[in-house]
Amino acid sequence: MFFAKTTISAALVAAVNGHMIMKTPAPFDPDHLNNSPLDAGGADFPCKFASGVYTATGGTVNEYELGSSQPLSFIGSAVHGGGSCQVVMTYDNPPTADSKWKVIHSIEGGCPAKGQAGNLPENSNGDGAGRYTFKVPSDIPTGKGTIGWTWFNRIGNREMYMNCGSLSLTGASGDQSNFDKLPDMVVLNIGSHPKTPEGVDYKFTEPGPSVEDNTGEFGVATCSTDGCEAGDQAGSGSGSGSGSGSGSSATTSAAATPTATQGAGNGGGVFLTTGTPSSSAAPTSTPAATTIVTTTSSAVPTATATPTATPSSGAGSGSGSGSGSVGAASGACTSEGMWNCISGTSFQQCASGQWSTVMAMAAGTKCTPGQSMNLGMIAAGRKVRAFRA
């Protein structure tokens, strides 16, 4: 699916040489580490190995004692407005597309940098991104494996980043069942997996045994490998909220049944490369109501259940030209890539023959109300950019 470019300046999209790479844990082959995201088609999942350039060789072995706290840090400057990250591990070394990756720590919002609307000053060797701490579970088996960092960026192209390093766990060995019950790594934005919405931070349905919550400034969506839903739908996962973050959690409420997730994934932490998703992956029913996320003066989003508006000409079919409905559309649409700007404060798009869920515009920006193949971006009272489908 396609989602709106909510950037307000071309400066928010940095050159590839400023992209982020993992500094600690120590990655495989750091001298040759590619700082780009994973291939959009999934060809180099996991860890960018399948490219034939980057392999599980070289670098320092990350030797961690069970129960210890360890640093997570980065090199680069293109933080893309932050986003959300996970620290994951597998006992495979080298890992493959079929490896079982489990989450040991989640950073929800503000990763790899906190409070950033766009990017840091461009510097491919910069160390100005955030520094974080994760805890190694104390009750899993010792042994060798691979540790990884994943990142879903808030602003820019819908991407997934993943770097990995060699892992050796020491101490009093725990039980395999404790590792097995950890949540699977979330996989989005590559292959046939659903896309993350742009402009918001991401919570995870199952964030793992420790969580750092930095959400609240940019709005929030809750994600799993099956896709993302607007608002804070978390709470049923395994996270304890015991991370070291200082951000406040976004609070939302909805009186209607949540809208359908934005696509269907292959599930779990195992990635299977597939062809073009079939039509069965698209939602087949029309939600009774649409969850609209609006940003309050305190920048904490509140989800309000609003009946689907009766659209003016072309709203349901995606055939408007920019002067159509200012309400939410639902169900089937025919003009692939058509934007629907709702009252200037939220948007949705026609993708895979269905209207997407409604998402809030980024703080300080507005869109031009109505349906059009361009989404006019407005910031501080002036139009700065129109994004084409």
Side-chain angles (χ1 to χ4, degrees):
M1 296 177 68
F2 300 90
F3 290 89
K5 298 285 187 182
T6 53
T7 52
I8 62 173
S9 165
L12 297 184
V13 181
V16 67
N17 62 4
H19 280 167
M20 310 305 296
I21 60 173
M22 182 175 71
K23 180 179 180 181
T24 57
F28 291 120
D29 199 11
D31 292 337
H32 301 96
L33 178 57
N34 186 325
N35 63 6
S36 64
L38 290 174
D39 176 77
D44 56 1
F45 178 91
C47 310
K48 296 186 287 192
F49 285 161
S51 65
V53 176
Y54 182 52
T55 58
T57 59
T60 303
V61 175
N62 299 283
E63 186 171 313
Y64 297 152
E65 185 175 1
L66 295 182
S68 64
S69 294
Q70 301 295 336
L72 175 66
S73 62
F74 308 97
I75 298 173
S77 58
V79 297
H80 293 301
S84 296
C85 305
Q86 293 191 309
V87 180
V88 297
M89 63 159 291
T90 177
Y91 284 101
D92 294 346
N93 189 344
T96 70
D98 296 323
S99 293
K100 180 167 65 176
W101 291 91
K102 293 292 186 174
V103 178
I104 62 175
H105 184 65
S106 291
I107 305 169
E108 299 177 325
C111 182
K114 301 176 184 178
Q116 290 295 317
N119 292 319
L120 298 171
E122 187 172 347
N123 182 355
S124 60
N125 296 312
D127 61 357
R131 290 174 171 81
Y132 309 84
T133 300
F134 65 92
K135 187 174 182 179
V136 179
S138 60
D139 57 358
I140 61 176
T142 56
K144 298 186 182 301
T146 302
I147 190 157
W149 157 72
T150 66
W151 169 37
F152 302 107
N153 52 305
R154 188 178 67 83
I155 291 294
N157 295 331
R158 302 297 77 212
E159 296 168 332
M160 179 176 177
Y161 291 76
M162 186 177 190
N163 292 163
C164 304
S166 184
L167 175 66
S168 177
L169 297 178
T170 63
S173 189
D175 193 89
Q176 179 67 31
S177 63
N178 294 322
F179 176 77
D180 293 339
K181 70 184 181 183
L182 292 172
D184 293 326
M185 174 179 69
V186 174
V187 179
L188 294 165
N189 295 337
I190 58 174
S192 63
H193 288 276
K195 305 292 187 183
T196 55
E198 189 178 3
V200 297
D201 289 323
Y202 313 111
K203 287 198 167 186
F204 299 105
T205 303
E206 294 185 276
S210 66
V211 186
E212 178 174 334
D213 185 358
N214 302 314
T215 60
E217 184 175 0
F218 300 109
V220 67
T222 304
C223 301
S224 69
T225 296
D226 291 329
C228 300
E229 293 186 11
D232 184 358
Q233 306 295 333
S236 60
S238 59
S240 62
S242 59
S244 59
S246 59
S248 59
S249 174
T251 303
T252 62
S253 61
T257 302
T259 56
T261 55
Q262 297 162 357
N266 290 316
V270 176
F271 177 79
L272 302 177
T273 303
T274 63
T276 303
S278 66
S279 58
S280 61
T284 56
S285 59
T286 301
T290 301
T291 302
I292 299 178
V293 182
T294 56
T295 303
T296 65
S297 58
S298 61
V300 178
T302 302
T304 305
T306 305
T308 303
T310 301
S312 59
S313 176
S317 63
S319 60
S321 61
S323 59
S325 169
V326 294
S330 63
C333 56
T334 57
S335 296
E336 192 73 9
M338 176 73 74
W339 301 108
N340 183 28
C341 172
I342 305 161
S343 302
T345 59
S346 55
F347 65 90
Q348 59 187 154
Q349 191 174 34
C350 177
S352 299
Q354 296 282 327
W355 284 109
S356 70
T357 53
V358 175
M359 298 302 300
M361 296 294 293
T365 68
K366 292 183 178 181
C367 55
T368 303
Q371 293 184 15
S372 175
M373 296 306 290
N374 294 333
L375 185 69
M377 296 297 298
I378 301 172
R382 65 185 181 89
K383 188 172 182 179
V384 297
R385 195 170 182 181
F387 291 98
R388 296 184 178 276

